[in-house]
Amino acid sequence: MLRRSVGGRSTRSICLVLACLSLALHILLAIFCLSVLQTACVPPHSSSSSPLHDPGSTSRQTKSSVIISNGIFANNATEWEKEPTGDKISTKGMREVDPGGSKLEALFSHPLYNLQRPEMQEDDWLLRVKNSEDEEEERDTGGEEEEDTNWTVAAETHPPWLRFHLGISRWELYHRTDPLLDQVTHYISTQRILNVVQKRGGTQLKLLMSFPNHGEALLKPMRQTRDAETDVNLFYFSDFERHNAEISAFHLDRILGFQRIPPVVGRLVDVVSEIKDVTTDKKLLRTFFTSPVGNTCFYGQCEYYCSTENPVCGGPLALEVSLATMLPDLTLAPRRSWRSPWRRSYSRTKLAQWEKDPAFCDGVKQTPPYDEGTRLVDLMDMAVLDFLMGNMDRHHYETFEKFGNKTFMLHLDNGRAFGRHSRDEPSILAPLRQCCRIRRSTLLRLRLMSRPGFRLSDVMRESLDRDPLAVIQPLLSEAHLSALDRRLAMVLQVLHTCQDLHDDRFQWDSSTHFRVGLLMIRDSNDITQRKRC
């Protein structure tokens, strides 16, 4: 009996082991089959070209490679590249976005954000990169080669800020899909701060931060809470600049497809160890003090708001700031400052000429550089941007001298934006209302972002959530995000009015291959029915 019991026990053990092995094999087989099926269902992604290629290369041209149609991703670039004028652009029959997916990624995958660009020429790059032929020519002529200019774009050892500078072209500061953008913002938000000095000029406090590998960024500190709304009795030139406005302006500029604001990112800095202890600016150092509640504060030196009554304080040491990537040094890439035709009077009693003359734009259109090229419609783009974020403080703009009048405008200094969400300022749209002119691509993108699937407030919220400071508190309140949608509707209404007044006047924009003029599309079907210029 004992022998039988032992034999039965061993038989059951063997059966149990075999059953476990069989089950394990079945599980492995199921996992393998599932992975094969998933791989077969993943659509091929189109490769977007990086802007960091050799000058003269045409690989920077972006291809409209992904179209969302009936919920299926398909490579269909050819159809959208047939007409660079935009006549083929239509959103009819497209599903806007998967309810559970990213609206921001769906927006940037839309054909309106992947239009073919002009072929890049060597003179279209801001900074010229030496190649082997140039180096040989220098050696033959006995020229001395500077170490700092011996750069090659493909070198991965270069810091992100340098590659950003080398990627600036005649048409934009950066390419929207370039992964370098994330590298630049990560660099200035995490690198060790080596030195801090106050930046001279301007009406409010700004600091210049230095990082390893000669990187630099412009710091604007937090001076008021996110939900603090500007007093309605204050003039536009009597308000604090906001660090979150600089960050939000960069994200909005990118969402609108302009790429004219240098990358800006938020950072939490230690007022003592990352500013006071490393600064070499003795005048700045003398303004540090400890507040009655134990917070470390400083105020610097500037025209306004630099006093013990208006200090910048940590809590007790931590301070939220915005860091804007610096543009190339003026000795390498000089810039020209232009006074905006629609500049405000900056007076408490006087009005500017454009505020008194409804036909003011007629004179502007006959004045260089607005009488030809794209400069006038660039001003319209800037007016749309400023109105959406409520920025009344746009008195000047800059361009790179190398490109003359055939280039884009830089949208710099946006600290007074997003001050009020409860009140809109229609006067910011005066250029658009008086000129009744807009770039076609801008118009179509604005219309796209008025749709529920690509709603401006939704994509803006998603974009801002990627900033490091968003983990502390959203950079824009829901009231400000709702104001974006309300103001977008107002912009489209102004364009509707322009269309009613001037129905069939167009102007060809040769530099960007977009048609501009007094154009308002009432229905997506109208796009393919318009007569060509």
Side-chain angles (χ1 to χ4, degrees):
M1 292 295 293
L2 182 61
R3 190 177 299 168
R4 258 186 224 161
S5 176
V6 173
R9 231 182 263 126
S10 63
T11 303
R12 282 196 299 272
S13 300
I14 293 173
C15 291
L16 183 61
V17 171
L18 291 175
C20 292
L21 288 174
S22 177
L23 180 61
L25 289 173
H26 278 81
I27 291 175
L28 289 175
L29 183 60
I31 293 174
F32 175 75
C33 293
L34 184 61
S35 64
V36 171
L37 289 174
Q38 287 179 343
T39 303
C41 294
V42 174
H45 293 281
S46 60
S47 59
S48 60
S49 59
S50 169
L52 300 179
H53 292 290
D54 292 336
S57 171
T58 61
S59 58
R60 275 208 185 187
Q61 300 175 21
T62 59
K63 304 294 183 179
S64 306
S65 56
V66 180
I67 296 176
I68 306 176
S69 178
N70 298 324
I72 301 175
F73 289 84
N75 289 324
N76 193 12
T78 306
E79 180 65 23
W80 291 90
E81 291 169 4
K82 288 179 181 178
E83 288 288 342
T85 63
D87 288 343
K88 291 289 184 181
I89 299 175
S90 174
T91 55
K92 183 182 179 182
M94 286 189 175
R95 290 186 59 184
E96 293 173 339
V97 64
D98 181 359
S102 166
K103 289 187 178 183
L104 183 64
E105 292 178 5
L107 180 73
F108 287 158
S109 296
H110 194 280
L112 288 173
Y113 285 81
N114 294 277
L115 297 172
Q116 184 177 3
R117 295 292 181 182
E119 181 177 340
M120 300 297 292
Q121 305 297 325
E122 185 175 350
D123 290 340
D124 289 336
W125 304 113
L126 180 64
L127 299 179
R128 186 173 180 271
V129 181
K130 293 181 180 180
N131 53 36
S132 56
E133 295 179 358
D134 294 331
E135 292 174 357
E136 291 179 3
E137 184 178 348
E138 270 197 359
R139 284 194 293 268
D140 293 340
T141 56
E144 295 183 1
E145 183 178 333
E146 296 182 9
E147 182 180 355
D148 289 343
T149 59
N150 187 18
W151 299 330
T152 57
V153 183
E156 297 181 357
T157 57
H158 292 154
W161 65 265
L162 176 55
R163 283 179 279 157
F164 163 65
H165 289 175
L166 294 175
I168 298 175
S169 72
R170 180 186 296 274
W171 313 118
E172 57 190 2
L173 280 176
Y174 57 87
H175 193 278
R176 178 183 47 75
T177 60
D178 193 342
L180 175 65
L181 197 62
D182 292 332
Q183 298 173 21
V184 172
T185 54
H186 179 74
Y187 173 86
I188 61 178
S189 64
T190 59
Q191 285 292 309
R192 182 168 60 94
I193 299 173
L194 300 181
N195 188 24
V196 179
V197 295
Q198 184 170 347
K199 189 176 186 302
R200 305 304 173 190
T203 59
Q204 299 197 30
L205 177 66
K206 297 184 287 288
L207 302 179
L208 189 61
M209 319 295 283
S210 298
F211 305 103
N213 296 321
H214 307 286
E216 291 184 326
L218 185 66
L219 179 150
K220 289 191 178 182
M222 177 178 180
R223 306 201 71 153
Q224 52 193 341
T225 59
R226 307 266 213 283
D227 53 356
E229 192 172 10
T230 301
D231 189 336
V232 294
N233 294 311
L234 286 181
F235 286 93
Y236 49 88
F237 49 82
S238 303
D239 192 16
F240 282 124
E241 292 187 341
R242 298 169 185 79
H243 72 301
N244 62 314
E246 291 285 356
I247 301 169
S248 301
F250 161 65
H251 285 261
L252 181 59
D253 177 84
R254 180 170 174 251
I255 287 172
L256 293 174
F258 296 154
Q259 286 85 247
R260 299 168 195 169
I261 295 181
V264 185
V265 67
R267 177 167 175 167
L268 202 63
V269 300
D270 187 299
V271 175
V272 173
S273 65
E274 295 184 301
I275 298 181
K276 182 180 179 180
D277 290 350
V278 298
T279 184
T280 56
D281 191 332
K282 294 183 179 179
K283 291 183 179 180
L284 175 64
L285 190 60
R286 284 197 292 266
T287 66
F288 278 84
F289 66 94
T290 302
S291 72
V293 294
N295 294 331
T296 301
C297 306
F298 65 98
Y299 53 87
Q301 294 182 350
C302 59
E303 289 187 35
Y304 303 103
Y305 309 120
C306 286
S307 64
T308 53
E309 292 80 14
N310 298 285
V312 175
C313 297
L317 299 176
L319 174 67
E320 287 188 25
V321 301
S322 68
L323 293 176
T325 309
M326 295 294 290
L327 294 172
D329 190 88
L330 294 175
T331 58
L332 293 175
R335 300 193 300 271
R336 178 174 177 179
S337 179
W338 303 77
R339 178 170 173 159
S340 172
W342 281 271
R343 178 186 184 273
R344 297 179 184 274
S345 65
Y346 286 83
S347 168
R348 295 178 177 85
T349 57
K350 296 180 181 179
L351 295 177
Q353 183 62 31
W354 59 268
E355 295 179 282
K356 299 180 289 186
D357 182 9
F360 178 78
C361 185
D362 294 339
V364 174
K365 289 188 289 187
Q366 299 174 9
T367 305
Y370 308 103
D371 57 342
E372 62 179 2
T374 64
R375 186 63 62 84
L376 188 59
V377 289
D378 285 340
L379 272 177
M380 303 303 115
D381 287 346
M382 189 167 66
V384 170
L385 173 71
D386 285 337
F387 177 73
L388 290 176
M389 58 187 185
N391 180 25
M392 303 173 65
D393 188 34
R394 185 74 70 185
H395 44 84
H396 287 79
Y397 64 87
E398 295 183 15
T399 59
F400 289 109
E401 282 189 3
K402 176 183 178 179
F403 302 132
N405 293 333
K406 295 182 179 179
T407 185
F408 64 96
M409 293 161 38
L410 291 164
H411 299 163
L412 305 176
D413 197 6
N414 304 284
R416 284 201 171 111
F418 295 104
R420 300 187 182 113
H421 54 75
S422 59
R423 184 172 182 267
D424 305 321
E425 185 52 56
S427 64
I428 302 177
L429 286 180
L432 198 63
R433 188 178 293 107
Q434 294 177 356
C435 297
C436 274
R437 185 168 296 190
I438 192 169
R439 182 177 268 109
R440 184 182 179 92
S441 59
T442 300
L443 170 63
L444 295 178
R445 287 169 181 164
L446 293 176
R447 290 188 64 250
L448 184 66
M449 284 180 284
S450 67
R451 296 171 138 201
F454 300 100
R455 185 177 287 112
L456 177 58
S457 59
D458 292 338
V459 294
M460 187 69 172
R461 183 188 299 106
E462 183 181 344
S463 184
L464 290 174
D465 283 345
R466 303 181 180 186
D467 188 87
L469 292 183
V471 299
I472 301 174
Q473 185 183 354
L475 285 161
L476 285 182
S477 66
E478 286 300 316
H480 276 296
L481 293 173
S482 298
L484 286 175
D485 294 331
R486 182 180 69 244
R487 292 166 184 168
L488 176 58
M490 294 176 66
V491 173
L492 294 177
Q493 183 57 49
V494 169
L495 294 174
H496 270 296
T497 303
C498 285
Q499 173 66 13
D500 292 338
L501 294 175
H502 314 278
D503 193 22
D504 292 319
R505 294 167 56 192
F506 297 95
Q507 177 179 331
W508 177 254
D509 182 349
S510 58
S511 65
T512 59
H513 295 291
F514 294 130
R515 189 161 50 185
V516 298
L518 310 175
L519 175 63
M520 185 63 209
I521 305 300
R522 299 183 181 278
D523 184 80
S524 59
N525 293 330
D526 291 343
I527 300 174
T528 57
Q529 297 172 0
R530 295 282 177 180
K531 294 182 180 180
R532 297 183 182 179
C533 297

